[in-house]
Amino acid sequence: MKPPSPSSLLCALLVVSGAGLLRGEVAKEDEAAGVAFFEAKIRPVLAKHCYECHSAESGKSKGGLLLDTREGIRTGGDTAPAVVPGDPAKSLLLTAISHTDPDLEMPPKKPQLPKAVIADFAAWIELGAPDPRDAAKLAVQRPPVDIESGRKFWSYRKPQRHTAPATKDPAWAMRDLDRFILAKLEQDGLAPSPDAEPVTLLRRLYFDLIGLPPTPAEAGAFAQRVQATGLDAALAGEVDALLKSERFGERWGRHWLDVARYAESSGKETNIAYPHAWRYRDYVIASFNADKPYDQFLREQIAGDLLPAQDDRERAEHLIATGYLAIGAKSQNEQNPRQFAVDVADEQIDAISQGV
């Protein structure tokens, strides 16, 4: 056999090289097309429906899953990779948005994404899940956190006693805290405001304790008591009277009712009335007026039906207290009883943990 001539070898090399270049160009075009598909079809859906619970920017990574980086979406969370390039069947993200597993549905508590969107995700994964996002930029934006630096944060440091500073007008201060205030005012070249008039103090006291202003008759009677007994004694009498007023529980119980997400209907898609919600409202008001200890107040609301009771009246009070768990928004349109029960329990845990 004759050896190939130099010219034939050159031609063969040119053919092979040309084919390689052609394949390289095609690969670049495919990669660019995949990235364009991701930017047009995938990233907007992730940003709209997923980043709220699974992104560094939101500070949340439910289930240990971050979906705002290529590494995060491929590594996955506590269970398995969210996306396995080229294998839709093993990609949990596709399973979650397809709602084929009742225990793994995303977005949670919301309708399934449109079929076209799900098909886009399947096609994207089959393409190899092209993803230009880089985790390095996000990592730079998040400051490093460690135990020692966290202990130096002001709210985790043990309070220390400081000596009250000297002031130019020590007679103005009625307590050590006033001396700190006065020292700062003097440092900035300011002077304290003059003392409020007695009736002004009375109005502030009324608004603070019962949320209502005094009537002209009450203000006039208070002014007479100030002249007769002095300001301190008159104010002490007003405080005692306002604390005994039913309006006190209405004023301050309102703040707990806000924490307890009190409402007289279920809200959400089908707004169903709670005809006996007022019983829980009155329980809260009565508890504040009775100066009920806070720990007892919480126990009755969380486990009132399990607490011992001395009589039927106390038993009824404990049961009404558990209205704390019964009220709250509920999705009456949920067709899956198991999902409905889990959603209710999740809402109760959320209200207790955030409220307390």
Side-chain angles (χ1 to χ4, degrees):
M1 176 181 292
K2 294 176 61 179
S5 65
S7 59
S8 62
L9 282 174
L10 179 60
C11 291
L13 287 173
L14 288 175
V15 170
V16 172
S17 176
L21 291 173
L22 182 60
R23 283 195 297 271
E25 292 298 327
V26 171
K28 290 181 180 179
E29 291 181 3
D30 289 344
E31 181 179 357
V35 170
F37 185 84
F38 171 82
E39 297 291 357
K41 300 289 187 178
I42 306 303
R43 190 200 286 260
V45 177
L46 293 174
K48 181 178 180 180
H49 297 284
C50 305
Y51 283 4
E52 181 180 355
C53 299
H54 302 280
S55 68
E57 184 176 356
S58 69
K60 298 179 182 179
S61 57
K62 293 187 176 181
L65 176 62
L66 288 173
L67 297 177
D68 54 346
T69 66
R70 179 179 63 251
E71 291 76 11
I73 202 170
R74 295 187 180 186
T75 302
D78 299 336
T79 52
V83 166
V84 178
D87 194 341
K90 294 182 179 179
S91 299
L92 291 184
L93 179 61
L94 185 62
T95 302
I97 65 175
S98 301
H99 288 197
T100 55
D101 184 348
D103 295 328
L104 183 66
E105 295 183 353
M106 293 178 61
K109 303 179 184 179
K110 293 182 180 180
Q112 183 188 46
L113 296 177
K115 298 294 184 183
V117 173
I118 298 173
D120 288 339
F121 272 81
W124 172 63
I125 294 171
E126 289 178 351
L127 287 173
D131 189 344
R133 297 174 301 170
D134 186 5
K137 296 180 180 178
L138 291 174
V140 172
Q141 296 173 0
R142 304 186 69 185
V145 177
D146 59 79
I147 298 297
E148 290 304 319
S149 61
R151 286 172 176 163
K152 296 178 183 178
F153 191 68
W154 69 268
S155 63
Y156 296 107
R157 299 176 67 179
K158 184 178 180 179
Q160 297 180 356
R161 183 176 295 277
H162 296 273
T163 303
T167 59
K168 299 177 182 178
D169 184 17
W172 179 85
M174 299 177 64
R175 52 184 177 169
D176 285 344
L177 178 60
D178 296 338
R179 293 169 62 184
F180 286 96
I181 297 173
L182 182 59
K184 183 62 177 175
L185 289 174
E186 292 176 349
Q187 177 184 332
D188 295 337
L190 302 174
S193 299
D195 292 343
E197 295 294 329
V199 174
T200 301
L201 284 178
L202 183 70
R203 283 176 56 83
R204 293 174 182 173
L205 190 64
Y206 264 69
F207 278 121
D208 189 32
L209 293 182
I210 67 172
L212 298 169
T215 65
E218 291 169 334
F222 175 73
Q224 293 177 0
R225 285 194 295 274
V226 170
Q227 293 179 352
T229 64
L231 179 61
D232 290 344
L235 282 175
E238 290 292 339
V239 169
D240 290 340
L242 293 175
L243 289 176
K244 294 178 182 178
S245 168
E246 292 184 359
R247 307 289 85 77
F248 172 77
E250 296 170 359
R251 164 78 170 89
W252 286 95
R254 177 176 61 86
H255 294 295
W256 178 257
L257 291 173
D258 288 343
V259 171
R261 80 269 188 243
Y262 174 79
E264 297 186 355
S265 62
S266 65
K268 291 200 171 183
E269 304 89 352
T270 304
N271 197 28
I272 298 178
Y274 295 153
H276 294 282
W278 62 270
R279 298 181 186 275
Y280 173 73
R281 177 202 65 197
D282 287 3
Y283 159 81
V284 171
I285 293 172
S287 296
F288 273 79
N289 282 331
D291 197 21
K292 182 174 292 183
Y294 180 59
D295 56 348
Q296 179 184 346
F297 183 60
L298 290 181
R299 280 197 299 269
E300 291 177 355
Q301 294 176 84
I302 297 173
D305 56 323
L306 303 177
L307 297 179
Q310 296 180 354
D311 49 38
D312 291 341
R313 185 205 60 79
E314 188 176 46
R315 173 69 175 171
E317 181 183 5
H318 289 173
L319 290 176
I320 291 172
T322 60
Y324 175 83
L325 300 175
I327 59 177
K330 295 175 178 61
S331 179
Q332 308 293 342
N333 288 350
E334 177 58 59
Q335 300 298 312
N336 186 335
R338 181 183 177 189
Q339 183 64 49
F340 180 82
V342 170
D343 289 344
V344 169
D346 177 70
E347 194 275 336
Q348 291 171 339
I349 295 171
D350 184 68
I352 293 172
S353 58
Q354 293 198 55
V356 176

